[in-house]
Amino acid sequence: MLTDTDLRRGGTGTRPAPKRRGQRLGGALGNARLTSIVGATLLVLLAIEGATIPAIQPLLSVHIFVGMLLLGPVSLKLASTGYRFVMYYAGSSQYVREGPPAPLMRLLVAPVLVLSTLTLFGTGVVLLAVPHRGMIVGLHKASFIVWFGATTIHVLAYALRAGRRILAEWSRPAGGRQARLAVTGIALAVGIFTALVTYPLAHPWFHHFHGPH
C-alpha cells in the first residue's frame, strides 16, 4: 500500500507523475486528503446536528438548518469517495497502488453507510417539502439508527488515518491544495445557501411543535 509520500510522488516513489487535467485536486493523494478534510468538517457539523436530537423541540430550527447545510459537504464526501471507487476499478495506477479498502468496509459497511445516508437526508428533504407525513418520519428515524451505527464504525476505522492526512496537508503541502480548499469551501457555501433558501419551508414544523403563533 502506498504511503502519503509515495502518493505525493505519483505512486512510483521515484519521480512525479505527469500533470493531467483530471489531477487538478492532486491525483490519488489529493483525493485522499480532500476526503479526510471533508470528513473532519462533517464530523463537526454532525456533532452539532446530533446535539439537537435530545432537545429536538426547542432546537428544531437548528436541527433543520444544519441538516440542510450538511447537504453540501455530504455530497462532496460521496463524490470524492465515489471517484476513488471508480478510479480504482477502472485500473488507474495511482489508485490501484493505493489499494482497496478493507474487505469488511468495502463489502458491508460502505454500502450500508451510503444507502442509509441517502435515505436519511432524502427523507429529511421530503419532510421539509411535505411536512407531517407519518411513514416518512418513521423512515427518517429508522435510517438514522442504521446510519449512526455504520458511521460510528466508519469513523473508528478511518479517524487516525484521516487525522494524519489533515496534518500532512498543512505541514507537507502537495499539488492541488488550493483547489482542495476551494472545493471544500464551495461545498460549505452551497450547503449554507441551501439552508437559507429552504429554511422558510420549516414553518409548518414550528407550528406543529409550538402551536399557533
Side-chain angles (χ1 to χ4, degrees), residues 153-204:
I153 297 172
H154 180 82
V155 170
L156 292 174
Y158 292 114
L160 289 177
R161 185 170 69 179
R164 288 195 297 267
R165 285 173 172 171
I166 292 171
L167 289 175
E169 181 76 333
W170 300 109
S171 62
R172 299 191 301 276
R177 177 183 175 184
Q178 291 184 345
R180 291 190 291 276
L181 295 178
V183 168
T184 303
I186 290 171
L188 284 170
V190 168
I192 293 171
F193 177 78
T194 302
L196 290 171
V197 169
T198 58
Y199 187 76
L201 297 175
H203 180 73

Side-chain angles (χ1 to χ4, degrees), residues 56-160:
I56 191 65
Q57 292 191 22
L59 295 177
L60 182 62
S61 59
V62 178
H63 184 82
I64 292 174
F65 188 88
V66 176
M68 297 306 294
L69 190 160
L70 279 162
L71 290 175
V74 165
S75 297
L76 180 57
K77 181 69 158 54
L78 291 173
S80 66
T81 53
Y83 184 78
R84 179 187 185 278
F85 177 87
V86 170
M87 294 301 289
Y88 174 80
Y89 285 103
S92 172
S93 59
Q94 290 186 35
Y95 291 87
V96 170
R97 291 191 185 99
E98 187 180 0
L104 177 63
M105 300 298 296
R106 182 172 76 250
L107 299 177
L108 181 60
V109 177
V112 172
L113 180 57
V114 170
L115 289 175
S116 61
T117 297
L118 294 175
T119 304
L120 178 64
F121 285 92
T123 53
V125 171
V126 171
L127 286 170
L128 192 60
V130 187
H132 315 315
R133 303 185 73 175
M135 183 184 300
I136 303 299
V137 171
L139 186 57
H140 186 66
K141 292 178 179 179
S143 63
F144 170 76
I145 295 172
V146 176
W147 172 88
F148 183 80
T151 299
T152 300
I153 297 172
H154 180 82
V155 170
L156 292 174
Y158 292 114
L160 289 177

